[in-house]
Amino acid sequence: MKKIIFAALTLFALQASAQPPLKHSILGTSVRSDDGQLTITSVDKRQNYSGGDAQTRETAINSPKSANIHPNGKKYYINSLEGCATVVFEMGTNRKLKTINHHCDPSKEALWSPPSDLYPFTHYKTNLNTFAGKPVEGCFSHGGRYFWVPYYRRTYDINAQDPSALAIIDTETDEIVRLMETGPLPKMVCCSHDGKYVAITHWGNNTIGLVRVDSDDPKEWRHERMLVVDYVLPLNFSMTHQIDRDNNSGYCLRGTVFTPDDRYLLVGCMGQSGGIAVFDMENMEYLGRVQGMRSNVRHLVINNGYLYLSINAAGYVQRLPLEKFLEAARQMKNHLGSVSGWEECQVGAGARTIEISPDGHYVFAACNAASEVCVVDTRKMRTVARITCDSYPVGLDISKDGQWVIVTSQGRRNQGGNAVNIFRVTYGD
């Protein structure tokens, strides 16, 4: 087992060190699936890179990390990480509606929720709420009324070792209406189906924060508790020299999803010995980590009774019946278990965000190193189409009608990226 883990981590490191060739999507490019039942077309982009077409230039795009399409299908949100902004676009026209800046100062003090005792500051002591936030992922709550945006870190915290924060945006006005503390280096955020909880997954120290949100008034939302995967990672890094926190972060918690009945919370572990952490939400109990899938789990999606995974380094999409996975979770001993029988399909290197078409027939995967969007037919679990997008894609979302796929290309080491690709999808009978 140690040899397998070492080999997987070595592959991850090699992939991170290699620099695949730069690619750019060409508007008008269209690809049809092998069976002719799906066509995906590059119809537009918003980019901010040297040599890009002036007609598609958007200077607010700066290291775009994630895309989130509003449930009503009328607009979408792009989290521009290094730009410290969330950019709102109109669906269909791709016209910019607004740039929401994540710069916090004393004028925003009234927006902060009361501090909890869950996230103490241990390194920084003054001007804690004066910073720029680096927005990472996002999710909607309250039927789409609110959009939750975690900050990778507060800009003064160079090694993401003290609490970060998140912004809550009212999507009717596209204004920030609430700011809340989080643990270090939050990435994923997920709302339970019953609207009771929002879970914020902290890449930085093996923890997940739970916020109680079953009120319609944001001022009544409160921190409920902090969940822990095995142990809280001690953080005591330099305050003057930056280190690699993308890798020095314990289990590197990432993909996060509530089961359809909200009984369990599942969290993918990209680092160390990997697997998927499972929490029993009824008893607020940590059950442990289920292994048996490929290592380097990045994103989790539940659809039509299956748990789907993206496997980053090796570039796979895997799936297993959800009930089979949960049965293995319930049988864990000493917080560790395993389950076999995963179906899988190789997509492109660096499989990051995955989303599934409304009918459940297709998985769309943003493949970072391959600079492609790959489409998997779930009825056969094989790749049936792939289309080039700007290097290097990370975030992806699909509209509720399945017609639009929005992909963010973040870039690597100041190369590539700084682009949002817009694809139209049409389906056969």
Side-chain angles (χ1 to χ4, degrees), residues 41-57:
T41 304
S42 174
V43 295
D44 205 351
K45 70 169 71 177
R46 290 295 177 266
Q47 50 76 29
N48 187 23
Y49 53 74
S50 177
D53 189 331
Q55 292 185 332
T56 60
R57 177 62 59 87

Side-chain angles (χ1 to χ4, degrees), residues 36-199:
Q37 292 299 299
L38 175 146
T39 301
I40 182 168
T41 304
S42 174
V43 295
D44 205 351
K45 70 169 71 177
R46 290 295 177 266
Q47 50 76 29
N48 187 23
Y49 53 74
S50 177
D53 189 331
Q55 292 185 332
T56 60
R57 177 62 59 87
E58 175 49 65
T59 56
I61 298 299
N62 185 355
S63 187
K65 187 70 174 175
S66 60
N68 292 88
I69 300 173
H70 192 278
N72 67 16
K74 295 181 179 180
K75 57 185 176 180
Y76 59 94
Y77 295 76
I78 302 296
N79 281 325
S80 195
L81 183 82
E82 295 300 333
C84 298
T86 298
V87 193
V88 190
F89 292 96
E90 183 177 54
M91 183 65 79
T93 68
N94 304 307
R95 176 174 62 93
K96 184 173 74 171
L97 301 176
K98 193 165 188 176
T99 299
I100 304 167
N101 292 309
H102 296 289
H103 293 269
C104 299
D105 57 35
S107 69
K108 302 274 185 28
E109 202 61 36
L111 298 180
W112 285 92
S113 66
S116 71
D117 59 357
L118 298 177
Y119 311 113
F121 283 83
T122 57
H123 296 80
Y124 299 91
K125 302 297 182 183
T126 59
N127 298 319
L128 298 179
N129 290 340
T130 299
F131 63 93
K134 293 175 176 283
V136 189
E137 300 284 349
C139 83
F140 296 97
S141 71
H142 297 78
R145 174 66 187 270
Y146 298 104
F147 183 52
W148 295 65
V149 181
Y151 297 153
Y152 180 89
R153 60 180 175 87
R154 306 185 190 211
T155 42
Y156 58 72
D157 186 0
I158 63 170
N159 286 319
Q161 56 188 325
D162 267 10
S164 188
L166 62 81
I168 300 157
I169 296 167
D170 185 335
T171 63
E172 291 187 357
T173 61
D174 286 329
E175 297 283 348
I176 296 173
V177 295
R178 201 68 169 155
L179 293 163
M180 301 186 80
E181 61 185 348
T182 71
L185 221 163
K187 287 197 176 183
M188 290 301 295
V189 59
C190 179
C191 185
S192 62
H193 302 86
D194 61 8
K196 187 175 181 179
Y197 292 111
V198 168

